[in-house]
């Protein structure tokens, strides 16, 4: 009886993970996660290590406040390049010591809805990280919002003229529909016309992984991906 | 005697374009808005060729889970050596995803050192994958003829070989950009150059 119940639960969870099948359409889904450097993981796995810096709890790593907690990273983005893209709007808030979100994946042509929660006017701009490209943003008065259409593509930064703490890292690509997740969460893009698509996984500190996928009618394609420094090897 | 003189003159004419006979000074002033702070004024050969730098090694310490210094200014062909100077048993990793030079140097224990060579000029950010506040920046310059200014001020670059140069500046405030100046340097110093930094 217990086995039957367990099997039923397993079947139910498996069904819940896959997107709903739509006639003549397909979907892609999976889990996006991040993990620590492989050498760091190996060191933690070595229980005989004498180093007091490496202590573990029942869940794995005991995380010090100054360490990157790869099991709980936010702002992981999954992007899908779609031919029939409709521009999206993304909210950004400006406070006294940060821009929220800290990172944002979006499409060229998308709108940034920027709200100034400060008591002073903000002078923001967008700059390419590895090139000279630049986009000016009109002055944003205290308490006001502004809509800015992104004209740059690639690795970018949204910056402030007079407060270096205000920084948001942007990754922009043409026709890229994006969704934001936390490490270990499930993503999905459904109702897709059968074709080949580009799927992009990005975290600002760990770079991006691009994969071409084939979407078939009445089928769900599963792509799980882990972002790590190890992608450099 | 006439033949010897002729050989000497021919040799001089032949080697003149490739041998800098003099080294001199390029000096001037930076004109920039008040918001502009740190600047690196540097010289690049006008024909884009590299200068004959003797490779150097620069040290960055990893201490109290920070890179010290956080900014390294080096020249092409130079190496950076990261030394783990932590007082406790703390490991660090060094990696960069920059298109200029992407690398992962692995994990370095207390007392260890890790090295990376830089061949292309440009700016790159690097991180420790273990510690979230450990970020560093490397500025790789095309020559060793440069000066770092904490704010717009007078500058002076000495011992510059004669030839055609372009005076440029790296402005850390990305809203602003320097306008490069082409300079021909001979035996005499070139003074009173004004390098203008403007809003992009």
């Amino acid at each position: 009886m217990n086995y039957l119940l367990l099997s039923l639960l397993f079947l139910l969870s498996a069904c819940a993970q896959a997107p709903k099948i739509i006639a003549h359409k397909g979907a892609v889904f999976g889990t996006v996660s991040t993990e620590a450097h492989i050498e760091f993981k190996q060191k933690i796995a070595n229980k005989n290590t004498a180093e007091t810096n490496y202590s573990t709890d029942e869940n794995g790593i005991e995380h010090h406040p100054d360490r990157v907690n790869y099991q709980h990273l936010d702002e992981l983005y999954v992007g899908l390049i779609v031919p029939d893209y409709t521009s999206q709007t993304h909210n950004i808030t400006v406070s006294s010591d940060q821009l929220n979100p800290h990172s944002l994946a979006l499409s060229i042509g998308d709108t940034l809805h920027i709200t100034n929660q400060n008591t002073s006017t903000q002078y923001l701009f967008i700059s390419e990280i590895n090139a000279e490209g630049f986009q000016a943003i009109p002055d944003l008065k205290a308490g006001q919002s502004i809509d800015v259409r992104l004209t740059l593509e690639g690795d970018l930064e949204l910056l402030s003229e007079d407060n270096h703490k205000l920084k948001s890292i942007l990754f922009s690509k043409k026709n890229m529909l994006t969704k934001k997740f936390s490490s270990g969460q499930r993503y999905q893009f459904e109702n897709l016309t059968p074709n080949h698509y580009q799927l992009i996984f990005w975290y600002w500190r760990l770079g991006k992984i691009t994969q071409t996928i084939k979407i078939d009618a009445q089928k769900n394609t599963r792509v799980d991906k882990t972002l790590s420094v190890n992608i450099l090897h | 005697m006439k033949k010897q003189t002729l050989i000497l003159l021919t040799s001089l004419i032949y080697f003149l374009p490739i041998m800098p006979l003099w080294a001199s000074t390029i000096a001037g002033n930076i004109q920039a808005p008040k918001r502009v702070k740190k600047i690196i004024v540097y010289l690049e050969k006008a024909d884009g060729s590299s200068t004959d730098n003797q490779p150097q090694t620069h040290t960055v310490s990893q201490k109290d889970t920070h890179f010290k210094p956080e900014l390294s200014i080096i020249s092409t062909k130079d190496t950076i050596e990261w030394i783990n100077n932590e007082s406790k048993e703390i490991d660090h990793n060094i990696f960069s995803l920059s298109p200029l030079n992407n690398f992962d140097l692995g994990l370095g224990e207390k007392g260890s050192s890790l090295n990376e060579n830089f061949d292309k000029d440009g700016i790159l950010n690097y991180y420790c994958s273990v510690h979230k506040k450990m970020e560093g920046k490397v500025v790789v310059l095309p020559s060793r003829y440069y000066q770092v200014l904490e704010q717009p001020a007078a500058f002076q670059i000495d011992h510059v070989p004669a030839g055609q140069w372009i005076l440029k500046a790296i402005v850390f405030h990305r809203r602003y950009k320097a306008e490069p100046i082409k300079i021909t340097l001979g035996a005499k110093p070139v003074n009173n150059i004004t390098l203008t930094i403007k809003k992009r």
Side-chain angles (χ1 to χ4, degrees):
Chain A
M1 185 61 184
N2 283 344
Y3 285 118
L4 193 66
L5 203 62
L6 276 171
S7 303
L8 196 66
L9 277 171
F10 177 76
L11 275 172
L12 278 171
S13 71
C15 289
Q17 281 192 351
K20 189 181 165 186
I21 300 288
I22 300 169
H24 312 296
K25 299 283 183 178
V28 58
F29 75 106
T31 304
V32 58
S33 56
T34 51
E35 67 177 22
H37 195 285
I38 191 159
E39 291 179 31
F40 188 75
K41 284 175 69 182
Q42 283 167 354
K43 197 135 193 180
I44 287 166
N46 180 6
K47 301 240 168 109
N48 297 322
T49 179
E51 296 181 358
T52 52
N53 193 38
Y54 296 100
S55 52
T56 58
D57 60 16
E58 68 275 12
N59 297 316
I61 307 162
E62 179 190 303
H63 285 285
H64 296 216
D66 60 347
R67 280 200 203 143
V68 181
N69 188 344
Y70 286 93
Q71 291 173 354
H72 295 101
L73 284 185
D74 295 322
E75 297 187 8
L76 273 65
Y77 287 89
V78 184
L80 187 75
I81 309 296
V82 291
D84 50 348
Y85 182 73
T86 308
S87 295
Q88 310 287 307
T89 296
H90 308 268
N91 293 317
I92 292 184
T93 54
V94 187
S95 63
S96 60
D97 61 350
Q98 65 173 357
L99 295 180
N100 189 21
H102 175 65
S103 60
L104 178 63
L106 71 170
S107 174
I108 185 168
D110 277 3
T111 299
L112 295 171
H113 181 75
I114 308 171
T115 303
N116 181 7
Q117 294 179 336
N118 278 325
T119 52
S120 60
T121 301
Q122 295 299 307
Y123 307 95
L124 304 172
F125 63 98
I126 301 167
S127 174
E128 285 185 349
I129 293 177
N130 301 308
E132 295 284 308
F134 170 82
Q135 183 177 347
I137 293 175
D139 297 351
L140 182 54
K141 288 182 181 168
Q144 292 194 351
S145 295
I146 193 170
D147 284 338
V148 178
R149 190 175 170 273
L150 185 70
T151 59
L152 296 172
E153 192 171 1
D155 295 311
L156 316 168
E157 282 178 334
L158 173 62
L159 299 163
S160 159
E161 277 200 34
D162 45 18
N163 185 350
H164 71 276
K165 287 181 185 172
L166 302 183
K167 180 166 102 171
S168 187
I169 297 157
L170 313 179
F171 165 49
S172 146
K173 199 166 169 69
K174 192 181 174 189
N175 289 355
M176 184 168 70
L177 177 65
T178 61
K179 294 180 180 181
K180 185 170 73 171
F181 301 93
S182 296
S183 186
Q185 279 190 332
R186 180 179 166 275
Y187 73 90
Q188 74 177 53
F189 294 95
E190 53 198 358
N191 202 15
L192 301 172
T193 304
N195 204 339
H196 286 90
Y197 291 83
Q198 238 187 2
L199 193 60
I200 300 166
F201 302 85
W202 178 69
Y203 179 69
W204 71 273
R205 219 171 188 247
L206 296 171
K208 48 188 98 76
I209 300 174
T210 303
Q211 184 171 334
T212 301
I213 54 164
K214 185 171 179 277
I215 297 293
D216 296 314
Q218 272 95 259
K219 274 189 182 173
N220 290 320
T221 304
R222 179 164 189 156
V223 179
D224 295 330
K225 203 59 74 179
T226 301
L227 288 156
S228 163
V229 176
N230 309 323
I231 63 172
L232 284 168
H233 300 286
Chain B
M1 186 65 186
K2 276 184 180 176
K3 193 180 176 184
Q4 281 176 328
T5 312
L6 191 69
I7 289 168
L8 186 69
L9 276 171
T10 312
S11 304
L12 271 173
I13 290 163
Y14 182 77
F15 287 109
L16 201 62
I18 56 167
M19 281 178 63
L21 294 176
W22 307 286
S24 193
T25 296
I26 292 176
N29 206 38
I30 305 285
Q31 198 172 65
K34 279 182 184 174
R35 274 184 175 144
V36 175
K37 299 295 177 198
K38 196 165 194 150
I39 303 159
I40 304 172
V41 193
Y42 69 96
L43 288 163
E44 185 179 274
K45 276 194 164 179
D47 61 5
S49 63
S50 61
T51 53
D52 297 326
N53 301 332
Q54 284 300 311
Q56 292 182 1
T57 298
H58 307 258
T59 303
V60 175
S61 175
Q62 294 150 302
K63 180 81 177 155
D64 303 326
T65 61
H66 280 86
F67 292 113
K68 295 175 184 178
E70 286 184 346
L71 171 67
S72 299
I73 301 164
I74 66 170
S75 299
T76 47
K77 303 177 197 167
D78 285 358
T79 297
I80 293 186
E81 181 182 26
W82 285 271
I83 302 173
N84 186 330
N85 286 321
E86 296 289 358
S87 52
K88 295 176 188 172
E89 295 291 343
I90 299 174
D91 292 357
H92 291 302
N93 160 249
I94 297 138
F95 78 98
S96 175
L97 299 167
S98 168
L100 188 72
N101 183 6
N102 68 57
F103 56 86
D104 168 24
L105 304 184
L107 210 60
E109 297 176 339
K110 178 190 167 189
S112 69
S113 68
L114 299 165
N115 296 284
E116 181 66 15
N117 185 49
F118 295 87
D119 291 327
K120 292 181 197 163
D121 62 290
I123 302 173
L124 68 83
N125 294 325
Y126 65 88
Y127 306 92
C128 167
S129 68
V130 182
H131 298 99
K132 56 187 168 191
K133 288 190 177 166
M134 284 186 80
E135 296 185 20
K137 193 184 282 287
V138 182
V139 175
V140 189
L141 297 171
S143 78
R144 224 174 279 292
Y145 306 109
Y146 69 90
Q147 187 178 4
V148 182
L149 300 171
E150 292 305 317
Q151 58 193 22
F155 69 91
Q156 182 174 317
I157 304 171
D158 296 319
H159 311 300
V160 183
Q164 302 274 324
W165 294 92
I166 299 173
L167 183 71
K168 293 183 170 182
I170 288 168
V171 186
F172 286 90
H173 196 313
R174 297 180 66 87
R175 185 71 173 87
Y176 298 89
K177 190 183 171 185
E179 291 179 349
I181 299 172
K182 199 168 180 179
I183 294 169
T184 302
L185 186 67
K188 291 180 182 174
V190 175
N191 295 310
N192 303 320
I193 297 274
T194 300
L195 187 73
T196 307
I197 293 170
K198 285 181 178 172
K199 259 191 177 181
R200 290 202 276 174

